[in-house]
Amino acid sequence: MSDITNSELDRRTLLRRAAAVGIAATPAVGMLSACVGGGEDDKTEQATGTKSAENPLGIDPKAPIEIVIFDGGLGTKYATDVDTPMYSKKWPESKVTYSATQQIATTIKPRLNSGDSPDMINNSGSDLMDFGAIVKAGQAADLTDLFAAPSFDIEGKTVAETLVPGAVEQGTYDTDSGRKPFAVNYSFTVFGLYYNKKLFDKNGWTAPTTWADFTALCDKIKAAGITPFGYAGANASYYMVRAILTSAGKIGTEQVLKDIDNLKPGAWQAPAIKQAAEAWGQIGAKYINKSFLGLKHTEVQLQQNQDKLAIYPCGSWLENEQAASITPNFEYAVMPYPSVTGSDQLPATAINAAAGEVYFASAKGKNPQGGKEYLRVMLSKAAALEFTKLTKSLTVVAGAADGLTISPGLTSANDMLSKAGKDVFMGYLFDTWYKKLDDASREAANTLMFNGGDAQKFCDAMEKASQEVAKDSSIAKFTRV
């Protein structure tokens, strides 16, 4: 991405916004089994070393580590060009084995169950693993010692003390042995409707704040021969789930989404959910390209870069993911989801933003302490700064990107975040807690948007799936407050 602005934004303001999200989730689960697969993994000899000021996690300096990174919107250069070299410089005798994949669950789950797991794993993408099940099975390492360890490069502070408020809490779970952190939610993402600012400026189109304005704009875009709205049904239907539920959260507040996370009976039948589904169902019926159902995310995103599609629901990783396809005539910008009704309880400026992109160390791997040490490197100020430069995404390391000149898309996201003020909400967690419910939501969203499904059918399908999960005693349950 070469089209970089010279604006210097208040990075502390942006990072403080992270404190408004990600702090309300308090999962509760018993550690019901040692490992989903059981067996030989319990016999794995794990590398350990002697703790010291230079080696606070007590790693074996000569032991190799293996990391696996999701190859998606954030790319992989931050791992190959920043984190791994930093780790190797600190521990030159420790060989780092690296791989990247878009099929995390397919690739990693069998290895977790067999006791041959990598030491640090980036669990993300459409094929992500059920992290609730991973915690339940004792396959994620307790990160208490990581967060209590000295920062890799910020003197006088622990790792936890260098992070935005809520960063540790979001990956913390209640277990039979107490509350413990198991995940690092590293990237801070701003969600909204992304568009080409230059195309909008050329046509005199402005970002809508009401649903009537939104449909009127879609009519103008359609008349110009451009598909007004779309997403990829093949592998990115969760983008649409977030759109529907963000609108529902603005209609009825985040409590509507908390009820969904808590598997509350009737949560998916709430008026706010149905109103949001009705509104978006109309967009699907009138303004979407039905061929998008069979396309992958990058294929639809390329159509937007070619001005064949105007408005795309996504997160702030989008600009980096499409960097190679951006032409001089394209400049990313983002707008909040418009108000659906005249009585939405949150204002039109309210947005969904949250810490995400889960990284964890494997409890059953050969070198879990090495996996944690790799995470300590990632949570350094230097690594976080380079991550933002490479990905055009923020991290949970407070102040790491202060003074950094950023790209048009992230500049727009920052402006939207600033205008949202206190009206920033995390959204929902069921997609990482309950894989079955996540899968059902993706299917229901596609049916609503592409196959003529109506709002009540959407609500009914999701209510049924939710209660099936609630009644399934084999699925660990989590509680959000």
Side-chain angles (χ1 to χ4, degrees):
M1 173 67 188
S2 59
D3 191 8
I4 304 295
T5 68
N6 292 319
S7 301
E8 290 195 4
L9 304 180
D10 182 353
R11 310 302 297 157
R12 288 185 177 86
T13 297
L14 184 52
L15 284 163
R16 277 200 302 272
R17 294 287 188 263
V21 299
I23 62 176
T26 54
V29 62
M31 302 297 279
L32 302 181
S33 62
C35 178
V36 170
E40 294 301 317
D41 56 318
D42 291 332
K43 301 177 183 178
T44 300
E45 184 177 347
Q46 296 183 327
T48 59
T50 302
K51 290 185 179 181
S52 66
E54 285 298 306
N55 186 8
L57 295 176
I59 75 166
D60 179 349
K62 297 182 180 180
I65 65 166
E66 182 186 358
I67 65 165
V68 176
I69 301 295
F70 171 66
D71 186 3
L74 297 174
T76 60
K77 281 186 175 295
Y78 68 92
T80 58
D81 296 6
V82 179
D83 300 336
T84 296
M86 284 181 63
Y87 180 93
S88 296
K89 182 178 180 180
K90 175 72 173 178
W91 308 107
E93 295 182 274
S94 174
K95 179 183 177 182
V96 179
T97 300
Y98 158 88
S99 61
T101 179
Q102 293 186 350
Q103 303 297 317
I104 291 293
T106 302
T107 304
I108 302 302
K109 189 174 180 180
R111 295 187 59 188
L112 281 172
N113 291 342
S114 69
D116 179 37
S117 63
D119 302 300
M120 198 288 291
I121 301 158
N122 173 202
N123 185 36
S124 186
S126 60
D127 188 41
L128 84 170
M129 296 179 290
D130 183 337
F131 195 68
I134 289 172
V135 172
K136 168 189 171 182
Q139 293 171 333
D142 177 1
L143 302 182
T144 299
D145 54 347
L146 165 65
F147 291 120
S151 164
F152 194 81
D153 63 356
I154 302 176
E155 190 173 351
K157 290 189 175 183
T158 65
V159 171
E161 289 170 341
T162 67
L163 308 182
V164 297
V168 177
E169 180 69 18
Q170 192 168 343
T172 297
Y173 293 74
D174 286 333
T175 73
D176 288 344
S177 56
R179 302 193 78 242
K180 296 178 180 180
F182 293 99
V184 172
N185 294 75
Y186 189 66
S187 177
F188 182 56
T189 301
V190 177
F191 297 96
L193 296 173
Y194 282 78
Y195 62 98
N196 178 7
K197 183 177 183 299
K198 291 186 176 181
L199 175 68
F200 271 52
D201 289 347
K202 176 184 175 181
N203 289 281
W205 300 333
T206 57
T209 58
T210 69
W211 209 258
D213 290 341
F214 184 35
T215 56
L217 173 61
C218 287
D219 285 333
K220 293 177 183 178
I221 294 169
K222 188 173 182 179
I226 301 170
T227 299
F229 176 86
Y231 70 97
N235 71 341
S237 49
Y238 61 101
Y239 295 2
M240 194 63 228
V241 176
R242 186 168 293 275
I244 295 166
L245 295 185
T246 297
S247 291
K250 294 178 76 164
I251 294 169
T253 78
E254 194 171 15
Q255 186 60 49
V256 172
L257 308 182
K258 291 180 181 180
D259 290 344
I260 284 174
D261 286 342
N262 290 332
L263 305 176
K264 180 180 177 180
W268 286 95
Q269 301 286 5
I273 302 293
K274 186 174 181 180
Q275 287 174 314
E278 283 178 342
W280 281 110
Q282 292 170 9
I283 298 297
K286 296 179 181 179
Y287 303 114
I288 205 168
N289 184 332
K290 296 299 192 290
S291 72
F292 288 179
L293 175 61
L295 299 184
K296 294 183 177 181
H297 64 298
T298 50
E299 294 172 318
V300 175
Q301 289 160 195
L302 179 61
Q303 292 205 29
Q304 184 180 39
N305 297 144
Q306 297 170 340
D307 285 337
K308 297 175 182 177
L309 168 67
I311 301 170
Y312 185 74
C314 202
S316 47
W317 66 78
L318 176 63
E319 185 176 35
N320 183 67
E321 188 169 55
Q322 293 302 109
S325 301
I326 298 174
T327 68
N329 294 323
F330 196 98
E331 182 178 303
Y332 273 112
V334 60
M335 67 178 93
Y337 291 97
S339 298
V340 173
T341 75
S343 57
D344 284 11
Q345 294 192 51
L346 295 179
T349 52
I351 64 168
N352 173 210
E357 202 70 18
V358 169
Y359 298 77
F360 72 99
S362 170
K364 305 294 183 178
K366 296 181 179 65
N367 191 0
Q369 293 305 105
K372 295 179 191 179
E373 178 69 1
Y374 195 94
L375 290 171
R376 190 169 78 102
V377 169
M378 288 183 64
L379 291 170
S380 67
K381 185 173 183 178
L385 173 62
E386 293 304 314
F387 178 91
T388 298
K389 288 180 179 178
L390 286 168
T391 67
K392 301 172 184 66
S393 297
L394 298 172
T395 72
V396 294
V397 181
D402 283 356
L404 179 66
T405 299
I406 56 178
S407 60
L410 196 54
T411 300
S412 178
N414 176 75
D415 181 60
M416 185 173 74
L417 200 57
S418 177
K419 290 176 180 176
K422 63 181 178 58
D423 296 309
V424 178
F425 59 99
M426 181 180 68
Y428 50 88
L429 296 169
F430 75 85
D431 58 334
T432 55
W433 288 358
Y434 307 117
K435 185 67 164 57
K436 289 183 178 179
L437 195 54
D438 179 40
D439 290 343
S441 71
R442 297 175 189 222
E443 182 179 350
N446 275 350
T447 299
L448 177 72
M449 299 300 291
F450 289 108
N451 296 330
D454 61 32
Q456 190 59 57
K457 287 183 179 178
F458 174 87
C459 294
D460 291 345
M462 291 311 302
E463 181 66 21
K464 181 175 183 289
S466 175
Q467 291 313 297
E468 285 177 353
V469 171
K471 294 172 183 177
D472 189 340
S473 61
S474 70
I475 300 175
K477 304 305 190 296
F478 302 86
T479 301
R480 182 175 171 195
V481 296

